[in-house]
Every structure is written in C-alpha cells, then in structure tokens.
Amino acid sequence: MIDASTFLRRALLADAIFSGIAALGFTFGAAAFATLFNLPEALLRETGLFLIAYTALVGWLASRASVPKPLVLLVVVGNAAWTVGSIALLFSGAVAPNLGGELMVVAQAIATGVFAELQYVGMRKSGDEVAA
C-alpha cells in the first residue's frame, strides 16, 4: 500500500469519469455508435460492459487515501496497453471504421495514454509504503 497523492487520486478520478461516460454510451448506445462510426456493435457493447467494471475499480482506487501499488501499476499498464491496442486495431484490418470512427478510436487512445502517464506520475509522487 502507498499513500496516494492528491495528483494520483485526481488522475484516477478523471479516468473513472471518462471511462464511466464511455461505458454508459457504449453499453446502452452500441447500435447508434455502430452506425455512426461503422464499428461492430458487439465490439462497442462488450467494450462498454468491460468499462463498467473498470470504472468501478478505478473509482474505488480514486476514493482511497492508501492504495495497493501493484493495482495502480496494473491500471497504468492496462491504460498503456489499451492505447497501443486501439491504434493496432485500426491497422489490423479487423474493423473498417469510417473517418468519424477512426477519429473516435484515435481520440480515446490518446486520452487513455494521457491517463496512463498522469497516473504513473501520480504514483511516483505518492508517499512511501504504509502498512495495510
């Protein structure tokens, strides 16, 4: 466990808010977003369902004064992997989004990468390890 810096807690909270909005939109608006972005509806809905659980985890971490460092590191690495995976998806040929879909995927990849960086910096700014 580490003492979570205010910076880390705010970075986690911003991630939880962003992810929560995306979770609701993709889960309940998958059909509309699929049409708008020319992306598979199942991909959007499953992404939304995953983000519901992710939002709960990151929101819980943001609400804690002390957090498990390995769990925060998992969030950072997961966000970095999401960023790389999102861009790889566009180059893979597995999907054929329209221009709006490409821009949406790139924008969320950039935002997720920024969250990863902010959370990493916040983890580095956090206090020493504390007893659990």
Side-chain angles (χ1 to χ4, degrees), residues 6-132:
T6 300
F7 189 93
L8 174 59
R9 292 174 68 196
R10 286 182 180 164
L12 290 165
L13 180 60
D15 189 0
I17 291 168
F18 178 83
S19 297
I21 291 168
L24 293 174
F26 289 156
T27 299
F28 299 108
F33 282 122
T35 301
L36 181 64
F37 297 131
N38 198 39
L39 287 166
E41 183 177 343
L43 173 67
L44 295 171
R45 181 166 289 109
E46 290 167 14
T47 298
L49 292 171
F50 167 80
L51 287 174
I52 290 170
Y54 177 80
T55 298
L57 169 66
V58 177
W60 177 80
L61 286 170
S63 72
R64 302 280 161 286
S66 296
V67 294
K69 187 174 182 178
L71 201 49
V72 174
L73 188 57
L74 179 66
V75 169
V76 171
V77 170
N79 277 337
W82 186 285
T83 299
V84 172
S86 295
I87 301 304
L89 178 67
L90 293 178
F91 287 106
S92 73
V95 295
N98 57 27
L99 179 61
E102 289 176 353
L103 292 174
M104 186 274 298
V105 170
V106 169
Q108 64 82 31
I110 290 169
T112 304
V114 169
F115 287 134
E117 179 66 22
L118 292 173
Q119 291 159 353
Y120 179 75
V121 169
M123 190 173 65
R124 300 284 310 255
K125 289 182 176 215
S126 292
D128 295 327
E129 294 193 19
V130 294

